[in-house]
Amino acid sequence: MKSVQISVIIPVFNQEKYIGRCLRSLLKQTISSNDFEIIVINDGSSDNTEKALSLFMNDIIYIKNKKQKGLPASLNIGIKNAKGQFIIRVDSDDYVHWEYLNILSMYLQLNHDIDAVSCDYYLVDSFQNIISHNNCLDQPIGCGIMFRIEQLIEIGLYDEEFLTREEEDLRVRFLKHYQIVRLQLPLYRYRRHATNITNNKESMVKFSKRLNDKHTK
């Protein structure tokens, strides 16, 4: 059985256009491929996502949900199947710098008192043009954060009721017990495009209210 240090969790739903770029960026990491695993959870894609993934089957651990479960449930499935001590999420339409895993894992290895580390990110468009350099603490996203798996388990992983804003709920619960340290390096590329889940304004408002209700009781 392969012993790894880092588990990269990639939930995917209908991202045939971008998933290849995402995976290629991870396969080009400077750390040894023996040190990390890539777990891809296909959450009921109806496009050619599975065909796009077929090119990478030798390099990934592939999990296919029999029926669509939603983003947070897919993330939890990935974490529950992880073998690494460090967990990091990459969204299937994004991509990362080749030092992404090396730098973040080294930071946690050398700083045993640090709970989690988050890197800055570039906001990019569909053509990979840089729009802005964003501070990961001032403008947080769900990705680009490396956690210790035992702490994620302790707080109960993702709340599967939050079909959007799941990362905000996780962050609120995590920060009640632990800290996230900022690394001022833009190692993550967060892609803005027409099919971003955050474009669903009705859903974002609905789960924003649910988030507020949950954490202001």
Side-chain angles (χ1 to χ4, degrees):
M1 182 179 294
K2 183 179 179 181
S3 177
V4 298
Q5 182 181 62
I6 307 160
S7 295
V8 184
I9 312 298
I10 307 177
V12 59
F13 174 72
N14 288 354
Q15 290 294 348
E16 60 175 291
K17 183 176 180 180
Y18 299 120
I19 185 62
R21 178 69 181 92
C22 173
L23 291 172
R24 286 193 299 275
S25 72
L26 286 162
L27 294 173
K28 291 180 180 177
Q29 294 297 293
T30 57
I31 64 170
S32 169
S33 60
N34 293 322
D35 292 333
F36 69 97
E37 62 182 358
I38 302 170
I39 303 175
V40 179
I41 307 93
N42 185 353
D43 191 30
S45 296
S46 57
D47 64 353
N48 288 317
T49 290
E50 191 161 44
K51 184 177 180 181
L53 287 170
S54 68
L55 301 173
F56 301 93
M57 288 301 178
N58 292 332
D59 300 303
I60 65 175
I61 296 167
Y62 181 60
I63 300 171
K64 184 177 182 180
N65 293 341
K66 292 181 179 179
K67 62 178 182 178
Q68 191 173 14
K69 296 178 179 292
L71 176 57
S74 296
L75 286 163
N76 285 345
I77 288 168
I79 296 169
K80 289 173 183 177
N81 281 276
K83 299 182 180 72
Q85 61 176 308
F86 301 144
I87 300 291
I88 194 157
R89 167 183 168 183
V90 176
D91 281 352
S92 56
D93 49 352
D94 298 336
Y95 58 103
V96 298
H97 189 276
W98 56 83
E99 291 282 9
Y100 179 63
L101 298 180
N102 181 40
I103 291 175
L104 292 177
S105 63
M106 185 182 298
Y107 196 90
L108 287 183
Q109 287 178 62
L110 296 177
N111 295 282
H112 298 286
D113 57 328
I114 299 298
D115 302 312
V117 59
S118 180
C119 65
D120 283 358
Y121 61 95
Y122 283 137
L123 182 64
V124 301
D125 64 18
S126 294
F127 303 100
Q128 301 181 188
N129 297 309
I130 295 173
I131 299 171
S132 62
H133 175 164
N134 290 26
N135 181 316
C136 62
L137 296 187
D138 291 343
Q139 297 173 286
I141 56 175
C143 305
I145 310 170
M146 187 170 282
F147 296 98
R148 300 182 189 275
I149 190 169
E150 65 272 14
Q151 294 174 346
L152 286 180
I153 292 170
E154 184 179 322
I155 66 167
L157 305 183
Y158 287 89
D159 185 336
E160 297 182 8
E161 297 296 317
F162 281 84
L163 298 182
T164 60
R165 298 195 183 276
E166 77 295 329
E167 80 286 355
E168 295 176 53
D169 172 70
L170 182 82
R171 184 183 292 265
V172 170
R173 289 184 288 116
F174 188 85
L175 291 176
K176 286 180 180 178
H177 306 281
Y178 304 110
Q179 288 185 322
I180 301 174
V181 172
R182 177 193 178 198
L183 198 58
Q184 198 171 336
L185 292 172
L187 301 174
Y188 195 88
R189 275 62 170 148
Y190 181 72
R191 194 189 299 266
R192 175 182 288 172
H193 56 87
T195 58
N196 282 130
I197 193 171
T198 51
N199 292 335
N200 186 335
K201 301 302 181 185
E202 182 178 346
S203 179
M204 294 297 285
V205 169
K206 173 185 175 181
F207 286 101
S208 178
K209 182 180 184 303
R210 183 173 293 184
L211 185 72
N212 185 64
D213 290 344
K214 178 178 179 178
H215 294 291
T216 55
K217 290 179 182 179

